[in-house]
Structure formats: structure tokens, C-alpha cells
Amino acid sequence: MSSTITLNEEHKALKEIASICLEDIQPHFDSLGTCVYAAVFASQTLTEMGINHYRSHVDSYLFPADRLQPGSLTRKNLPRSRWVRCFSTSRTVDGYGMPGNNGTFRGHLIIETDNFLVDLSALQFDTPRHQVRTFGHLIVPLADLEEVEHGVWSVPIPLGRYLFCDAERPVNPASLKDVEELFAPIIPECVRRVRQAMTGDVAGELVCANS
């Protein structure tokens, strides 16, 4: 994190970025492609803000909390189980698995700053009939992540389990340059809005899993 930006200010910035993404960006794109658009938009804005971060290409798995089998949380076995949502680069999975998004892009894109994991497209995982609830974007302190197996991390969500690990086959989206060019004209105004939000007060706790 930039030495001139406090932890509280960084959290305010991330919340405003999430708000812009939800209100002004998400409605224009197909839900299965939102991780690419959201991650690129957030990354461009954070870069202009001087907030250290990187885009992470991950394989993500979501399922009801009671759907656990011995050995199912190992990196090797994750793609072989039946998941409510699966965005994986490794192989096609059974059940409700959805291995690809945004055309040919496989896996899931998130943002990691020095202090937070940011998943601005987590709403696409919200499936109440399968006991998985995210309710919206996730801004999670890195300290709240749990390493359940070597390289496999659990993200706290209101209901169900959300696991992720580094993508087995990491790539950049084929449309990355086009998406960056698409958002470039609006980034200055977004930065202005984010800086304005950072000067306000934050009520209540600093952050929660679904803030």
C-alpha cells in the first residue's frame, strides 16, 4: 500500500470501486464475463490511485458447507468433485461446474492488494437454492483467509464454502487489451469519485467479508 494511503482509506477506495462496478459497469456485461471486466477496471483504477495490487488468475470452487468429503480439499482433488460453481482452468467438471467464462477465458480473476482480497463479481456465485450466498462483492482482509490445504484458500462468505487456488493454467484473457482500452476513458472520473469517497467517514467496523 502506498505510504500516503492508510488502511482505512484503502478500504474506502475499494468500497467505492465496488459501488461503481455494481452500478455503472455490471449492468452492461454478461454475468459470466464480469470477473474479467471487474478485475481490469479495478486494476486500472488502483494503479492510478497508487495502491499496490495485482490481478490474480485463480481456480475457484463454491459449494454448500456440508458437501465435504475426505480428501476433497486437496489441490489435486478439487476439480474432480461436484461443485455448485466451478471456474477452473484444469478440466471440465461434473454437476453444476462452469469451467469457462468470458468466451474462451477459463478460471476466475480477482484482485489482491497488500491488505485485501477483492472479488467484485462474487454475485455471480450467489445460488440460494444450493445453499451458497455471497449477496454481492467481497472485500476480505487477507488475515481472514484460511489456508485449508497447501495452496488452497477459503474465503469467508455468508453461506456455503468458497475455495480458490492459483490457476493450474494461468493466462491473460484474450480480450485483455480491448477491455483495458474500453475502460481507459472513464478511469479519470472514477479516480475522482474514489478520491472523494476516501475523504468521508466510515461508519461501523472497518471491513467484513461482504462489506
Side-chain angles (χ1 to χ4, degrees), residues 29-92:
F29 298 105
D30 181 271
S31 62
L32 295 184
T34 54
C35 73
V36 174
Y37 300 116
V40 171
F41 165 72
S43 180
Q44 287 179 297
T45 305
L46 290 170
T47 296
E48 291 300 313
M49 299 291 301
I51 297 177
N52 295 333
H53 69 283
Y54 55 95
R55 286 193 303 259
S56 296
H57 184 192
V58 300
D59 293 337
S60 60
Y61 308 88
L62 290 95
F63 55 98
D66 60 357
R67 189 179 296 180
L68 294 176
Q69 299 175 357
S72 65
L73 297 184
T74 66
R75 178 65 177 88
K76 180 180 178 181
N77 291 336
L78 277 173
R80 299 178 180 177
S81 298
R82 295 175 64 89
W83 310 97
V84 171
R85 288 287 184 269
C86 170
F87 290 83
S88 173
T89 58
S90 57
R91 60 181 65 85
T92 301

Side-chain angles (χ1 to χ4, degrees), residues 123-180:
L123 183 60
Q124 67 183 313
F125 299 145
D126 194 83
T127 50
R129 67 192 181 100
H130 296 302
Q131 293 78 54
V132 173
R133 300 308 307 263
T134 60
F135 295 110
H137 64 270
L138 299 172
I139 302 174
V140 183
L142 296 183
D144 288 356
L145 302 180
E146 175 189 4
E147 190 171 23
V148 297
E149 181 68 27
H150 178 67
V152 179
W153 295 87
S154 177
V155 181
I157 57 177
L159 180 65
R161 296 295 300 270
Y162 176 173
L163 303 181
F164 76 91
C165 44
D166 289 342
E168 187 171 325
R169 300 174 182 177
V171 297
N172 279 324
S175 60
L176 182 61
K177 183 177 180 181
D178 291 338
V179 176
E180 290 175 337

